[in-house]
Amino acid sequence: MSSVSRLESPHAVETATRAVVSWRRRPDDAVRAGLLVGELVYALDGQLSLARTPLEACDVARDLPGGFDELVETVVCAGEEPVPLTDVLLSPPVADPDKIICLGLNYRDHASEAGLEAPEVPVLFSKFRNSLCGAHDAIVLPRTSDEVDFEGELAVVIGRRAKHVAASDALDHVAGYSAFNDVTARDIQLRTSQWTAGKALDSFAPMGPGLVPADAVADPQDLWIETRVNGELMQSDSTGSMIFGVADTIAYVSSLMTLMPGDTIATGTPAGVGFKQEPARFLRAGDVVEIAIAGIGVIRNPVVAEP
Ligand code: MG
Protein backbone atom coordinates (compact mmCIF):
# COMPACT_ATOMS: atom_id res chain seq x y z
CA MET A 1 0.00 0.00 0.00
CA SER A 2 1.30 3.44 -0.84
CA SER A 3 1.72 6.12 1.75
CA VAL A 4 -1.05 8.63 1.30
CA SER A 5 -0.17 11.11 4.00
CA ARG A 6 1.13 14.56 3.10
CA LEU A 7 2.65 14.47 -0.35
CA GLU A 8 5.37 16.45 -1.97
CA SER A 9 4.36 17.24 -5.53
CA PRO A 10 6.80 15.80 -8.06
CA HIS A 11 4.98 17.68 -10.82
CA ALA A 12 3.80 21.23 -10.51
CA VAL A 13 0.66 21.01 -12.62
CA GLU A 14 0.54 24.19 -14.65
CA THR A 15 -2.63 26.22 -14.49
CA ALA A 16 -2.59 27.93 -17.88
CA THR A 17 -5.53 26.52 -19.77
CA ARG A 18 -7.09 26.54 -23.20
CA ALA A 19 -10.59 25.11 -23.15
CA VAL A 20 -14.08 25.72 -24.45
CA VAL A 21 -16.33 26.85 -21.61
CA SER A 22 -19.88 27.67 -20.61
CA TRP A 23 -19.97 31.14 -19.08
CA ARG A 24 -22.04 34.16 -18.16
CA ARG A 25 -21.32 37.47 -16.47
CA ARG A 26 -24.15 37.47 -13.94
CA PRO A 27 -26.27 34.68 -12.44
CA ASP A 28 -29.40 35.81 -14.33
CA ASP A 29 -27.71 35.95 -17.75
CA ALA A 30 -28.11 33.20 -20.34
CA VAL A 31 -25.21 30.74 -20.44
CA ARG A 32 -22.95 31.23 -23.48
CA ALA A 33 -20.18 29.31 -25.17
CA GLY A 34 -16.70 30.72 -24.81
CA LEU A 35 -13.04 30.02 -25.27
CA LEU A 36 -10.83 30.21 -22.19
CA VAL A 37 -7.23 31.14 -23.00
CA GLY A 38 -5.21 31.55 -19.83
CA GLU A 39 -7.07 34.16 -17.78
CA LEU A 40 -9.26 35.49 -20.63
CA VAL A 41 -12.61 34.33 -22.01
CA TYR A 42 -13.60 34.98 -25.66
CA ALA A 43 -17.21 34.65 -26.79
CA LEU A 44 -17.81 31.85 -29.30
CA ASP A 45 -21.37 32.97 -30.01
CA GLY A 46 -20.37 36.57 -30.80
CA GLN A 47 -19.39 38.02 -34.17
CA LEU A 48 -17.91 34.73 -35.33
CA SER A 49 -20.97 32.66 -34.29
CA LEU A 50 -18.82 29.56 -34.05
CA ALA A 51 -20.71 27.61 -31.41
CA ARG A 52 -23.54 27.86 -28.90
CA THR A 53 -22.20 25.23 -26.50
CA PRO A 54 -18.81 23.70 -25.64
CA LEU A 55 -19.94 20.46 -27.32
CA GLU A 56 -20.60 22.34 -30.56
CA ALA A 57 -17.22 24.00 -30.21
CA CYS A 58 -15.56 20.58 -29.95
CA ASP A 59 -17.32 19.63 -33.20
CA VAL A 60 -16.06 22.82 -34.84
CA ALA A 61 -12.50 22.09 -33.68
CA ARG A 62 -12.68 18.51 -34.96
CA ASP A 63 -13.68 19.71 -38.44
CA LEU A 64 -10.88 22.27 -38.77
CA PRO A 65 -7.68 21.08 -40.49
CA GLY A 66 -5.66 22.57 -37.64
CA GLY A 67 -8.03 21.29 -34.94
CA PHE A 68 -8.33 23.13 -31.64
CA ASP A 69 -5.12 25.13 -32.29
CA GLU A 70 -6.77 26.62 -35.37
CA LEU A 71 -9.96 27.41 -33.44
CA VAL A 72 -7.94 29.24 -30.78
CA GLU A 73 -5.96 31.19 -33.36
CA THR A 74 -9.10 32.13 -35.29
CA VAL A 75 -10.89 33.39 -32.21
CA VAL A 76 -7.97 35.24 -30.64
CA CYS A 77 -7.09 36.94 -33.95
CA ALA A 78 -10.69 37.96 -34.67
CA GLY A 79 -10.25 40.99 -32.47
CA GLU A 80 -13.31 40.66 -30.29
CA GLU A 81 -12.61 41.96 -26.79
CA PRO A 82 -12.16 39.13 -24.27
CA VAL A 83 -13.53 39.20 -20.72
CA PRO A 84 -11.22 38.57 -17.74
CA LEU A 85 -11.87 35.17 -16.17
CA THR A 86 -12.29 36.94 -12.83
CA ASP A 87 -15.41 38.72 -14.22
CA VAL A 88 -17.02 35.48 -15.42
CA LEU A 89 -19.15 32.74 -13.88
CA LEU A 90 -18.25 29.32 -15.29
CA SER A 91 -21.01 26.73 -15.62
CA PRO A 92 -20.37 23.02 -16.04
CA PRO A 93 -19.34 22.52 -19.69
CA VAL A 94 -22.24 20.12 -20.27
CA ALA A 95 -25.38 21.38 -18.58
CA ASP A 96 -27.72 18.46 -19.06
CA PRO A 97 -25.96 15.19 -19.86
CA ASP A 98 -28.17 12.21 -20.41
CA LYS A 99 -25.86 10.24 -18.09
CA ILE A 100 -23.10 10.85 -15.59
CA ILE A 101 -21.31 7.54 -15.12
CA CYS A 102 -18.58 7.18 -12.52
CA LEU A 103 -15.93 4.51 -12.05
CA GLY A 104 -15.13 3.27 -8.56
CA LEU A 105 -11.78 1.85 -7.47
CA ASN A 106 -10.12 2.53 -10.83
CA TYR A 107 -6.65 3.25 -9.44
CA ARG A 108 -4.85 0.32 -7.80
CA ASP A 109 -3.45 2.42 -4.92
CA HIS A 110 -6.90 3.83 -4.15
CA ALA A 111 -8.51 0.38 -4.13
CA SER A 112 -5.70 -0.71 -1.84
CA GLU A 113 -6.08 2.25 0.57
CA ALA A 114 -9.82 1.50 0.69
CA GLY A 115 -8.98 -2.08 1.72
CA LEU A 116 -10.56 -3.55 -1.41
CA GLU A 117 -9.35 -5.77 -4.22
CA ALA A 118 -8.62 -4.15 -7.58
CA PRO A 119 -11.73 -4.86 -9.69
CA GLU A 120 -11.69 -7.26 -12.64
CA VAL A 121 -14.37 -5.30 -14.49
CA PRO A 122 -15.12 -1.58 -14.14
CA VAL A 123 -17.20 -0.69 -11.07
CA LEU A 124 -19.91 1.72 -12.20
CA PHE A 125 -22.20 4.05 -10.30
CA SER A 126 -24.18 7.16 -11.21
CA LYS A 127 -24.55 10.79 -10.45
CA PHE A 128 -27.29 13.03 -11.86
CA ARG A 129 -27.58 16.58 -13.19
CA ASN A 130 -28.39 17.99 -9.72
CA SER A 131 -24.80 17.26 -8.69
CA LEU A 132 -23.17 19.22 -11.51
CA CYS A 133 -21.71 22.62 -10.73
CA GLY A 134 -19.11 24.90 -12.27
CA ALA A 135 -15.39 25.24 -11.77
CA HIS A 136 -15.68 27.88 -9.04
CA ASP A 137 -19.12 27.09 -7.57
CA ALA A 138 -19.58 26.12 -3.94
CA ILE A 139 -19.64 22.53 -2.72
CA VAL A 140 -22.51 22.51 -0.22
CA LEU A 141 -22.02 20.34 2.86
CA PRO A 142 -25.35 18.58 3.42
CA ARG A 143 -26.93 18.55 6.87
CA THR A 144 -27.15 14.78 6.57
CA SER A 145 -23.39 14.06 6.48
CA ASP A 146 -20.37 14.73 8.70
CA GLU A 147 -17.92 13.05 6.34
CA VAL A 148 -17.85 14.84 2.99
CA ASP A 149 -14.74 13.88 1.02
CA PHE A 150 -13.01 14.87 -2.24
CA GLU A 151 -12.01 12.69 -5.20
CA GLY A 152 -10.03 14.36 -7.99
CA GLU A 153 -10.77 12.74 -11.37
CA LEU A 154 -10.44 13.09 -15.12
CA ALA A 155 -13.86 13.39 -16.78
CA VAL A 156 -14.47 12.31 -20.36
CA VAL A 157 -17.35 13.79 -22.36
CA ILE A 158 -18.77 11.81 -25.25
CA GLY A 159 -19.10 13.63 -28.58
CA ARG A 160 -20.46 10.93 -30.86
CA ARG A 161 -23.02 8.21 -30.20
CA ALA A 162 -21.31 4.99 -29.12
CA LYS A 163 -22.76 1.48 -28.91
CA HIS A 164 -20.57 -1.63 -28.94
CA VAL A 165 -17.47 0.31 -29.95
CA ALA A 166 -14.08 -1.37 -29.88
CA ALA A 167 -11.45 0.07 -27.56
CA SER A 168 -9.35 0.82 -30.65
CA ASP A 169 -12.10 3.14 -31.94
CA ALA A 170 -13.38 4.44 -28.62
CA LEU A 171 -11.37 7.68 -28.43
CA ASP A 172 -12.94 8.79 -31.75
CA HIS A 173 -16.19 9.12 -29.77
CA VAL A 174 -14.76 11.59 -27.23
CA ALA A 175 -15.61 15.30 -27.50
CA GLY A 176 -13.23 16.43 -24.78
CA TYR A 177 -11.91 16.24 -21.24
CA SER A 178 -12.48 18.10 -17.97
CA ALA A 179 -11.35 18.07 -14.37
CA PHE A 180 -13.99 16.62 -12.04
CA ASN A 181 -14.45 16.27 -8.29
CA ASP A 182 -16.42 13.14 -7.35
CA VAL A 183 -17.47 14.62 -4.01
CA THR A 184 -18.62 11.87 -1.67
CA ALA A 185 -20.43 11.68 1.68
CA ARG A 186 -18.48 8.71 3.09
CA ASP A 187 -20.84 8.04 5.99
CA ILE A 188 -23.83 7.86 3.64
CA GLN A 189 -21.90 5.99 0.91
CA LEU A 190 -20.70 3.22 3.21
CA ARG A 191 -24.03 2.57 4.93
CA THR A 192 -25.09 0.43 1.97
CA SER A 193 -23.44 -1.66 -0.72
CA GLN A 194 -24.77 0.66 -3.47
CA TRP A 195 -23.04 4.05 -3.46
CA THR A 196 -25.50 6.41 -5.15
CA ALA A 197 -26.91 7.82 -1.91
CA GLY A 198 -23.52 9.14 -0.84
CA LYS A 199 -22.47 10.28 -4.31
CA ALA A 200 -25.45 12.03 -5.89
CA LEU A 201 -26.07 14.92 -3.50
CA ASP A 202 -26.56 18.46 -4.80
CA SER A 203 -23.29 20.17 -5.85
CA PHE A 204 -21.31 16.90 -5.56
CA ALA A 205 -19.95 17.04 -9.13
CA PRO A 206 -17.91 20.19 -9.75
CA MET A 207 -16.61 20.06 -13.33
CA GLY A 208 -14.52 22.23 -15.62
CA PRO A 209 -13.07 24.68 -16.16
CA GLY A 210 -14.35 23.69 -19.62
CA LEU A 211 -13.81 20.99 -22.18
CA VAL A 212 -10.41 20.50 -23.75
CA PRO A 213 -11.23 19.10 -27.19
CA ALA A 214 -10.02 15.55 -27.74
CA ASP A 215 -7.63 16.49 -30.57
CA ALA A 216 -5.69 18.68 -28.12
CA VAL A 217 -5.09 15.78 -25.69
CA ALA A 218 -2.35 13.57 -27.11
CA ASP A 219 -2.82 10.75 -24.60
CA PRO A 220 -5.52 10.70 -21.90
CA GLN A 221 -3.41 8.13 -20.01
CA ASP A 222 -0.52 10.55 -19.65
CA LEU A 223 -2.00 13.42 -17.62
CA TRP A 224 -0.84 14.38 -14.14
CA ILE A 225 -3.70 14.92 -11.69
CA GLU A 226 -3.48 16.65 -8.31
CA THR A 227 -5.92 17.50 -5.54
CA ARG A 228 -5.25 20.22 -2.97
CA VAL A 229 -7.26 21.28 0.05
CA ASN A 230 -6.43 24.82 1.18
CA GLY A 231 -3.25 24.52 -0.88
CA GLU A 232 -2.12 21.27 0.75
CA LEU A 233 -1.44 18.44 -1.71
CA MET A 234 -3.63 15.40 -1.04
CA GLN A 235 -3.63 13.41 -4.29
CA SER A 236 -0.94 13.27 -6.98
CA ASP A 237 -0.76 10.63 -9.68
CA SER A 238 -0.78 10.05 -13.43
CA THR A 239 -3.91 8.99 -15.28
CA GLY A 240 -1.59 6.24 -16.55
CA SER A 241 -2.24 4.53 -13.21
CA MET A 242 -5.88 3.83 -14.09
CA ILE A 243 -6.78 0.15 -14.07
CA PHE A 244 -9.27 0.63 -16.92
CA GLY A 245 -8.15 3.39 -19.26
CA VAL A 246 -10.47 5.78 -21.07
CA ALA A 247 -10.69 3.69 -24.27
CA ASP A 248 -11.39 0.42 -22.45
CA THR A 249 -13.95 2.16 -20.24
CA ILE A 250 -15.87 3.62 -23.19
CA ALA A 251 -15.80 0.23 -24.94
CA TYR A 252 -17.13 -1.48 -21.83
CA VAL A 253 -19.86 1.06 -21.05
CA SER A 254 -20.92 1.12 -24.71
CA SER A 255 -21.40 -2.65 -24.55
CA LEU A 256 -24.05 -2.01 -21.87
CA MET A 257 -25.81 1.18 -22.96
CA THR A 258 -25.83 3.67 -25.81
CA LEU A 259 -23.56 6.59 -25.04
CA MET A 260 -24.85 9.91 -26.37
CA PRO A 261 -23.18 13.28 -26.98
CA GLY A 262 -22.76 15.02 -23.63
CA ASP A 263 -22.65 11.83 -21.59
CA THR A 264 -19.96 12.26 -18.97
CA ILE A 265 -17.73 9.57 -17.52
CA ALA A 266 -15.71 10.25 -14.36
CA THR A 267 -12.78 7.88 -14.53
CA GLY A 268 -12.01 7.25 -10.86
CA THR A 269 -9.70 8.76 -8.28
CA PRO A 270 -6.09 8.10 -7.26
CA ALA A 271 -4.99 7.38 -3.69
CA GLY A 272 -5.06 10.10 -1.05
CA VAL A 273 -8.77 10.72 -0.45
CA GLY A 274 -9.64 12.43 2.83
CA PHE A 275 -11.00 9.45 4.72
CA LYS A 276 -7.70 7.61 4.28
CA GLN A 277 -5.53 10.52 5.42
CA GLU A 278 -4.15 10.24 8.96
CA PRO A 279 -6.00 11.75 10.66
CA ALA A 280 -9.00 11.67 8.31
CA ARG A 281 -9.44 14.97 6.50
CA PHE A 282 -13.08 15.62 5.70
CA LEU A 283 -14.21 18.88 4.12
CA ARG A 284 -15.29 21.75 6.35
CA ALA A 285 -17.02 25.03 5.61
CA GLY A 286 -14.37 27.53 4.57
CA ASP A 287 -12.14 24.99 2.82
CA VAL A 288 -11.16 25.41 -0.83
CA VAL A 289 -10.68 22.24 -2.92
CA GLU A 290 -8.65 22.31 -6.13
CA ILE A 291 -8.45 19.59 -8.76
CA ALA A 292 -5.70 20.32 -11.30
CA ILE A 293 -4.99 18.20 -14.37
CA ALA A 294 -2.04 19.05 -16.59
CA GLY A 295 -3.27 20.37 -19.93
CA ILE A 296 -6.92 20.23 -18.82
CA GLY A 297 -7.05 22.96 -16.19
CA VAL A 298 -8.02 23.62 -12.60
CA ILE A 299 -11.32 23.68 -10.77
CA ARG A 300 -11.30 25.50 -7.44
CA ASN A 301 -14.42 25.13 -5.30
CA PRO A 302 -15.12 26.72 -1.92
CA VAL A 303 -16.93 24.59 0.64
CA VAL A 304 -19.99 26.01 2.43
CA ALA A 305 -22.49 24.68 4.93
CA GLU A 306 -26.05 23.97 3.78
CA PRO A 307 -28.11 27.01 4.78
MG1 MG B 1 -14.70 8.56 -7.61
Side-chain angles (χ1 to χ4, degrees), residues 36 99 129 198 201 247:
L36 173 65
K99 313 174 198 65
R129 295 171 207 170
L201 291 91

Side-chain angles (χ1 to χ4, degrees), residues 22-33 45 52 89 91:
S22 292
W23 68 286
R24 60 209 198 285
R25 282 182 183 266
R26 285 170 293 275
D28 293 339
D29 292 348
V31 175
R32 308 173 64 183
D45 56 350
R52 290 167 300 168
L89 301 168
S91 298

Side-chain angles (χ1 to χ4, degrees), residues 6 147 149 273-284:
R6 308 300 179 245
E147 297 187 353
D149 204 348
V273 294
F275 88 125
K276 292 300 173 184
Q277 300 280 340
E278 292 181 11
R281 178 59 169 93
F282 294 113
L283 297 176
R284 299 182 288 256

